[in-house]
Amino acid sequence: AKEDALKVVEMICQSDISKITFAGGEPTLCPWLLDMLTIAKAYGKTTMIVTNGSKITPEWLKQFKDKTDWLTISIDSLQNESNVFSGRAIAGSKPINRDSYLQRCQWIKASGIRLKINTVVSKANHLEDLSPFINEIEPERWKLFQVLPIKGQNDTCIDSFTISNSEFEYFIQQNSKLTNTILVPESNDAMTSSYLMVDPAGRFFHNTAGQHIYSQPILEVGLVAALQQAMIDVGKFLGRDGVYEW
């Protein structure tokens, strides 16, 4: 519910946490996303949205730009077939093409919002070289995620997507020819236990055991008690370049 979501965001903002990322699912579909961003900015927090880009227009950016420090666009592939296969498609069948991604990135940069790209590396795209496109759009950061199996979330279909560590390293090497973008690769091990995450039910959760494990709801037990149930490895967080000039 909206009231609960806003209350959870405010409780988080009253802590020492300095950056809040709104991800999904697809956060731009949330009717009260702007309300949550407004609360975060009122507390002086750095705000980021991770989106597939489908809702990004000049009108949308005009509404959100004063409350949004970073926009992260999820771009896994520039091949339509790969995007349909991996689900990076509107209504399951209409992928965002290269020119559409380029246009959205140009709009974002023109708005003054800082641009970051996320790419999940899987069987669908692990041989692809995206670096020429990245050099064209010049995001500040490009994060590469090795596709991560999570029990109870994607384990019924993940076998057709998983790649080996060497295949992930090959993708990194193929895509490391960058001019003005910081490359941040994250293997399965680097991702595990290194993110402080909150689910739509207002619970911290972590993936220490290869599955999502949830705290008690923040609104029921308070932020500190719920946080004590979130197993976060600070060393891994720092090791994956979790702190940067945001």
Side-chain angles (χ1 to χ4, degrees), residues 21 48 50-51 72-77 88 116-120 130 141-145 195:
T21 298
M48 178 183 287
V50 178
T51 173
T72 298
I73 305 294
S74 298
I75 304 177
D76 292 346
S77 174
R88 294 287 190 201
K116 176 171 168 270
I117 303 298
N118 279 358
T119 298
V120 177
L130 299 178
R141 294 170 70 82
W142 183 23
K143 185 169 282 192
L144 308 181
F145 298 99
Y195 282 87

PDB file of all heavy atoms in Angstrom, residues 21 48 50-51 72-77 88 116-120 130 141-145 195:
ATOM      1  N   THR A  21      18.199   3.139  -4.062  1.00  0.00           N
ATOM      2  CA  THR A  21      17.931   2.735  -5.437  1.00  0.00           C
ATOM      3  C   THR A  21      16.555   2.101  -5.514  1.00  0.00           C
ATOM      4  O   THR A  21      16.250   1.177  -4.755  1.00  0.00           O
ATOM      5  CB  THR A  21      18.992   1.738  -5.926  1.00  0.00           C
ATOM      6  OG1 THR A  21      20.272   2.378  -5.910  1.00  0.00           O
ATOM      7  CG2 THR A  21      18.688   1.263  -7.338  1.00  0.00           C
ATOM      8  N   MET A  48      18.415   6.783  -7.109  1.00  0.00           N
ATOM      9  CA  MET A  48      18.660   6.090  -8.370  1.00  0.00           C
ATOM     10  C   MET A  48      17.434   5.262  -8.723  1.00  0.00           C
ATOM     11  O   MET A  48      16.774   4.699  -7.839  1.00  0.00           O
ATOM     12  CB  MET A  48      19.892   5.188  -8.259  1.00  0.00           C
ATOM     13  CG  MET A  48      20.209   4.377  -9.524  1.00  0.00           C
ATOM     14  SD  MET A  48      21.633   3.272  -9.314  1.00  0.00           S
ATOM     15  CE  MET A  48      22.985   4.442  -9.311  1.00  0.00           C
ATOM     16  N   VAL A  50      16.394   2.069 -11.365  1.00  0.00           N
ATOM     17  CA  VAL A  50      16.826   1.060 -12.327  1.00  0.00           C
ATOM     18  C   VAL A  50      15.593   0.661 -13.142  1.00  0.00           C
ATOM     19  O   VAL A  50      14.607   0.185 -12.582  1.00  0.00           O
ATOM     20  CB  VAL A  50      17.424  -0.174 -11.637  1.00  0.00           C
ATOM     21  CG1 VAL A  50      17.824  -1.225 -12.676  1.00  0.00           C
ATOM     22  CG2 VAL A  50      18.637   0.211 -10.795  1.00  0.00           C
ATOM     23  N   THR A  51      15.645   0.879 -14.454  1.00  0.00           N
ATOM     24  CA  THR A  51      14.476   0.691 -15.294  1.00  0.00           C
ATOM     25  C   THR A  51      14.838   0.038 -16.620  1.00  0.00           C
ATOM     26  O   THR A  51      15.982   0.128 -17.069  1.00  0.00           O
ATOM     27  CB  THR A  51      13.794   2.052 -15.564  1.00  0.00           C
ATOM     28  OG1 THR A  51      12.735   1.891 -16.523  1.00  0.00           O
ATOM     29  CG2 THR A  51      14.792   3.081 -16.099  1.00  0.00           C
ATOM     30  N   THR A  72      19.443   4.276 -14.187  1.00  0.00           N
ATOM     31  CA  THR A  72      20.148   3.104 -14.690  1.00  0.00           C
ATOM     32  C   THR A  72      19.241   2.385 -15.669  1.00  0.00           C
ATOM     33  O   THR A  72      18.133   1.987 -15.313  1.00  0.00           O
ATOM     34  CB  THR A  72      20.526   2.158 -13.545  1.00  0.00           C
ATOM     35  OG1 THR A  72      21.409   2.830 -12.647  1.00  0.00           O
ATOM     36  CG2 THR A  72      21.206   0.910 -14.075  1.00  0.00           C
ATOM     37  N   ILE A  73      19.696   2.242 -16.901  1.00  0.00           N
ATOM     38  CA  ILE A  73      18.928   1.533 -17.918  1.00  0.00           C
ATOM     39  C   ILE A  73      19.470   0.112 -18.033  1.00  0.00           C
ATOM     40  O   ILE A  73      20.679  -0.091 -18.177  1.00  0.00           O
ATOM     41  CB  ILE A  73      19.009   2.226 -19.290  1.00  0.00           C
ATOM     42  CG1 ILE A  73      18.582   3.684 -19.182  1.00  0.00           C
ATOM     43  CG2 ILE A  73      18.155   1.481 -20.320  1.00  0.00           C
ATOM     44  CD1 ILE A  73      17.135   3.888 -18.829  1.00  0.00           C
ATOM     45  N   SER A  74      18.580  -0.861 -17.962  1.00  0.00           N
ATOM     46  CA  SER A  74      18.966  -2.265 -18.122  1.00  0.00           C
ATOM     47  C   SER A  74      19.016  -2.594 -19.606  1.00  0.00           C
ATOM     48  O   SER A  74      17.978  -2.621 -20.280  1.00  0.00           O
ATOM     49  CB  SER A  74      17.963  -3.174 -17.407  1.00  0.00           C
ATOM     50  OG  SER A  74      17.954  -2.912 -16.019  1.00  0.00           O
ATOM     51  N   ILE A  75      20.219  -2.805 -20.114  1.00  0.00           N
ATOM     52  CA  ILE A  75      20.416  -3.159 -21.527  1.00  0.00           C
ATOM     53  C   ILE A  75      21.247  -4.434 -21.571  1.00  0.00           C
ATOM     54  O   ILE A  75      22.444  -4.407 -21.295  1.00  0.00           O
ATOM     55  CB  ILE A  75      21.123  -2.036 -22.310  1.00  0.00           C
ATOM     56  CG1 ILE A  75      20.345  -0.714 -22.199  1.00  0.00           C
ATOM     57  CG2 ILE A  75      21.290  -2.442 -23.775  1.00  0.00           C
ATOM     58  CD1 ILE A  75      21.020   0.458 -22.888  1.00  0.00           C
ATOM     59  N   ASP A  76      20.617  -5.542 -21.903  1.00  0.00           N
ATOM     60  CA  ASP A  76      21.329  -6.817 -21.948  1.00  0.00           C
ATOM     61  C   ASP A  76      21.883  -7.112 -23.333  1.00  0.00           C
ATOM     62  O   ASP A  76      22.900  -7.799 -23.461  1.00  0.00           O
ATOM     63  CB  ASP A  76      20.404  -7.957 -21.532  1.00  0.00           C
ATOM     64  CG  ASP A  76      20.025  -7.887 -20.064  1.00  0.00           C
ATOM     65  OD1 ASP A  76      20.667  -7.127 -19.317  1.00  0.00           O
ATOM     66  OD2 ASP A  76      19.070  -8.579 -19.665  1.00  0.00           O
ATOM     67  N   SER A  77      21.188  -6.628 -24.364  1.00  0.00           N
ATOM     68  CA  SER A  77      21.573  -6.979 -25.725  1.00  0.00           C
ATOM     69  C   SER A  77      21.043  -5.921 -26.683  1.00  0.00           C
ATOM     70  O   SER A  77      20.087  -5.204 -26.364  1.00  0.00           O
ATOM     71  CB  SER A  77      20.995  -8.352 -26.100  1.00  0.00           C
ATOM     72  OG  SER A  77      21.246  -8.663 -27.456  1.00  0.00           O
ATOM     73  N   ARG A  88      13.480  -9.147 -22.115  1.00  0.00           N
ATOM     74  CA  ARG A  88      13.667  -7.696 -22.226  1.00  0.00           C
ATOM     75  C   ARG A  88      12.814  -7.183 -23.393  1.00  0.00           C
ATOM     76  O   ARG A  88      13.315  -6.710 -24.398  1.00  0.00           O
ATOM     77  CB  ARG A  88      15.130  -7.354 -22.466  1.00  0.00           C
ATOM     78  CG  ARG A  88      16.053  -7.682 -21.318  1.00  0.00           C
ATOM     79  CD  ARG A  88      15.863  -6.729 -20.164  1.00  0.00           C
ATOM     80  NE  ARG A  88      16.907  -6.901 -19.164  1.00  0.00           N
ATOM     81  CZ  ARG A  88      16.798  -6.526 -17.901  1.00  0.00           C
ATOM     82  NH1 ARG A  88      15.668  -5.962 -17.478  1.00  0.00           N
ATOM     83  NH2 ARG A  88      17.792  -6.715 -17.061  1.00  0.00           N
ATOM     84  N   LYS A 116      23.694   5.435 -15.954  1.00  0.00           N
ATOM     85  CA  LYS A 116      24.398   4.178 -15.682  1.00  0.00           C
ATOM     86  C   LYS A 116      23.703   3.091 -16.493  1.00  0.00           C
ATOM     87  O   LYS A 116      22.501   3.176 -16.755  1.00  0.00           O
ATOM     88  CB  LYS A 116      24.334   3.886 -14.185  1.00  0.00           C
ATOM     89  CG  LYS A 116      24.941   2.569 -13.715  1.00  0.00           C
ATOM     90  CD  LYS A 116      24.985   2.564 -12.186  1.00  0.00           C
ATOM     91  CE  LYS A 116      25.311   1.193 -11.611  1.00  0.00           C
ATOM     92  NZ  LYS A 116      24.111   0.384 -11.359  1.00  0.00           N
ATOM     93  N   ILE A 117      24.439   2.074 -16.883  1.00  0.00           N
ATOM     94  CA  ILE A 117      23.868   0.940 -17.606  1.00  0.00           C
ATOM     95  C   ILE A 117      24.111  -0.333 -16.803  1.00  0.00           C
ATOM     96  O   ILE A 117      25.198  -0.540 -16.262  1.00  0.00           O
ATOM     97  CB  ILE A 117      24.496   0.783 -19.010  1.00  0.00           C
ATOM     98  CG1 ILE A 117      24.324   2.052 -19.836  1.00  0.00           C
ATOM     99  CG2 ILE A 117      23.900  -0.421 -19.747  1.00  0.00           C
ATOM    100  CD1 ILE A 117      22.904   2.456 -20.119  1.00  0.00           C
ATOM    101  N   ASN A 118      23.094  -1.171 -16.719  1.00  0.00           N
ATOM    102  CA  ASN A 118      23.209  -2.513 -16.141  1.00  0.00           C
ATOM    103  C   ASN A 118      23.038  -3.546 -17.241  1.00  0.00           C
ATOM    104  O   ASN A 118      22.128  -3.419 -18.079  1.00  0.00           O
ATOM    105  CB  ASN A 118      22.126  -2.771 -15.084  1.00  0.00           C
ATOM    106  CG  ASN A 118      22.458  -2.171 -13.727  1.00  0.00           C
ATOM    107  OD1 ASN A 118      23.524  -1.584 -13.540  1.00  0.00           O
ATOM    108  ND2 ASN A 118      21.552  -2.313 -12.788  1.00  0.00           N
ATOM    109  N   THR A 119      23.882  -4.573 -17.233  1.00  0.00           N
ATOM    110  CA  THR A 119      23.761  -5.679 -18.181  1.00  0.00           C
ATOM    111  C   THR A 119      23.864  -6.997 -17.444  1.00  0.00           C
ATOM    112  O   THR A 119      24.835  -7.218 -16.704  1.00  0.00           O
ATOM    113  CB  THR A 119      24.863  -5.612 -19.265  1.00  0.00           C
ATOM    114  OG1 THR A 119      24.710  -4.391 -20.020  1.00  0.00           O
ATOM    115  CG2 THR A 119      24.780  -6.797 -20.209  1.00  0.00           C
ATOM    116  N   VAL A 120      22.862  -7.847 -17.611  1.00  0.00           N
ATOM    117  CA  VAL A 120      22.919  -9.209 -17.082  1.00  0.00           C
ATOM    118  C   VAL A 120      23.501 -10.090 -18.175  1.00  0.00           C
ATOM    119  O   VAL A 120      22.952 -10.183 -19.278  1.00  0.00           O
ATOM    120  CB  VAL A 120      21.518  -9.719 -16.667  1.00  0.00           C
ATOM    121  CG1 VAL A 120      21.601 -11.163 -16.179  1.00  0.00           C
ATOM    122  CG2 VAL A 120      20.933  -8.825 -15.574  1.00  0.00           C
ATOM    123  N   LEU A 130      29.147  -5.222 -26.692  1.00  0.00           N
ATOM    124  CA  LEU A 130      28.338  -4.014 -26.557  1.00  0.00           C
ATOM    125  C   LEU A 130      29.194  -2.761 -26.418  1.00  0.00           C
ATOM    126  O   LEU A 130      28.653  -1.652 -26.356  1.00  0.00           O
ATOM    127  CB  LEU A 130      27.415  -4.131 -25.339  1.00  0.00           C
ATOM    128  CG  LEU A 130      26.396  -5.269 -25.334  1.00  0.00           C
ATOM    129  CD1 LEU A 130      25.608  -5.257 -24.028  1.00  0.00           C
ATOM    130  CD2 LEU A 130      25.456  -5.146 -26.516  1.00  0.00           C
ATOM    131  N   ARG A 141      28.881   4.789 -15.572  1.00  0.00           N
ATOM    132  CA  ARG A 141      29.218   3.460 -15.078  1.00  0.00           C
ATOM    133  C   ARG A 141      28.465   2.413 -15.892  1.00  0.00           C
ATOM    134  O   ARG A 141      27.328   2.642 -16.330  1.00  0.00           O
ATOM    135  CB  ARG A 141      28.848   3.308 -13.586  1.00  0.00           C
ATOM    136  CG  ARG A 141      29.678   4.197 -12.679  1.00  0.00           C
ATOM    137  CD  ARG A 141      29.138   4.218 -11.258  1.00  0.00           C
ATOM    138  NE  ARG A 141      29.324   2.950 -10.550  1.00  0.00           N
ATOM    139  CZ  ARG A 141      30.452   2.589  -9.951  1.00  0.00           C
ATOM    140  NH1 ARG A 141      31.509   3.392  -9.981  1.00  0.00           N
ATOM    141  NH2 ARG A 141      30.536   1.449  -9.305  1.00  0.00           N
ATOM    142  N   TRP A 142      29.117   1.260 -16.060  1.00  0.00           N
ATOM    143  CA  TRP A 142      28.484   0.119 -16.729  1.00  0.00           C
ATOM    144  C   TRP A 142      28.707  -1.099 -15.835  1.00  0.00           C
ATOM    145  O   TRP A 142      29.838  -1.525 -15.629  1.00  0.00           O
ATOM    146  CB  TRP A 142      29.081  -0.097 -18.114  1.00  0.00           C
ATOM    147  CG  TRP A 142      28.445  -1.212 -18.897  1.00  0.00           C
ATOM    148  CD1 TRP A 142      27.189  -1.736 -18.730  1.00  0.00           C
ATOM    149  CD2 TRP A 142      29.037  -1.925 -19.994  1.00  0.00           C
ATOM    150  NE1 TRP A 142      26.949  -2.728 -19.656  1.00  0.00           N
ATOM    151  CE2 TRP A 142      28.073  -2.859 -20.435  1.00  0.00           C
ATOM    152  CE3 TRP A 142      30.268  -1.859 -20.638  1.00  0.00           C
ATOM    153  CZ2 TRP A 142      28.321  -3.730 -21.504  1.00  0.00           C
ATOM    154  CZ3 TRP A 142      30.519  -2.714 -21.686  1.00  0.00           C
ATOM    155  CH2 TRP A 142      29.552  -3.641 -22.119  1.00  0.00           C
ATOM    156  N   LYS A 143      27.614  -1.620 -15.307  1.00  0.00           N
ATOM    157  CA  LYS A 143      27.722  -2.759 -14.394  1.00  0.00           C
ATOM    158  C   LYS A 143      27.330  -4.043 -15.122  1.00  0.00           C
ATOM    159  O   LYS A 143      26.270  -4.117 -15.764  1.00  0.00           O
ATOM    160  CB  LYS A 143      26.831  -2.553 -13.166  1.00  0.00           C
ATOM    161  CG  LYS A 143      26.984  -3.641 -12.120  1.00  0.00           C
ATOM    162  CD  LYS A 143      26.303  -3.271 -10.824  1.00  0.00           C
ATOM    163  CE  LYS A 143      27.141  -2.292 -10.032  1.00  0.00           C
ATOM    164  NZ  LYS A 143      26.638  -2.139  -8.635  1.00  0.00           N
ATOM    165  N   LEU A 144      28.195  -5.050 -15.026  1.00  0.00           N
ATOM    166  CA  LEU A 144      27.964  -6.357 -15.641  1.00  0.00           C
ATOM    167  C   LEU A 144      27.670  -7.379 -14.555  1.00  0.00           C
ATOM    168  O   LEU A 144      28.497  -7.602 -13.670  1.00  0.00           O
ATOM    169  CB  LEU A 144      29.199  -6.800 -16.439  1.00  0.00           C
ATOM    170  CG  LEU A 144      29.771  -5.813 -17.463  1.00  0.00           C
ATOM    171  CD1 LEU A 144      30.972  -6.436 -18.163  1.00  0.00           C
ATOM    172  CD2 LEU A 144      28.717  -5.393 -18.459  1.00  0.00           C
ATOM    173  N   PHE A 145      26.500  -7.996 -14.620  1.00  0.00           N
ATOM    174  CA  PHE A 145      26.110  -9.017 -13.655  1.00  0.00           C
ATOM    175  C   PHE A 145      26.159 -10.395 -14.305  1.00  0.00           C
ATOM    176  O   PHE A 145      25.532 -10.608 -15.344  1.00  0.00           O
ATOM    177  CB  PHE A 145      24.680  -8.802 -13.158  1.00  0.00           C
ATOM    178  CG  PHE A 145      24.429  -7.510 -12.439  1.00  0.00           C
ATOM    179  CD1 PHE A 145      23.852  -6.435 -13.097  1.00  0.00           C
ATOM    180  CD2 PHE A 145      24.743  -7.381 -11.095  1.00  0.00           C
ATOM    181  CE1 PHE A 145      23.604  -5.247 -12.441  1.00  0.00           C
ATOM    182  CE2 PHE A 145      24.496  -6.188 -10.431  1.00  0.00           C
ATOM    183  CZ  PHE A 145      23.932  -5.126 -11.099  1.00  0.00           C
ATOM    184  N   TYR A 195      24.335  -6.816  -1.089  1.00  0.00           N
ATOM    185  CA  TYR A 195      23.315  -5.800  -1.320  1.00  0.00           C
ATOM    186  C   TYR A 195      22.340  -5.743  -0.147  1.00  0.00           C
ATOM    187  O   TYR A 195      21.901  -6.783   0.352  1.00  0.00           O
ATOM    188  CB  TYR A 195      22.527  -6.106  -2.598  1.00  0.00           C
ATOM    189  CG  TYR A 195      23.250  -5.742  -3.869  1.00  0.00           C
ATOM    190  CD1 TYR A 195      24.130  -6.637  -4.474  1.00  0.00           C
ATOM    191  CD2 TYR A 195      23.073  -4.497  -4.460  1.00  0.00           C
ATOM    192  CE1 TYR A 195      24.802  -6.304  -5.637  1.00  0.00           C
ATOM    193  CE2 TYR A 195      23.742  -4.152  -5.620  1.00  0.00           C
ATOM    194  CZ  TYR A 195      24.597  -5.057  -6.209  1.00  0.00           C
ATOM    195  OH  TYR A 195      25.276  -4.715  -7.354  1.00  0.00           O
TER     196      TYR A 195
END
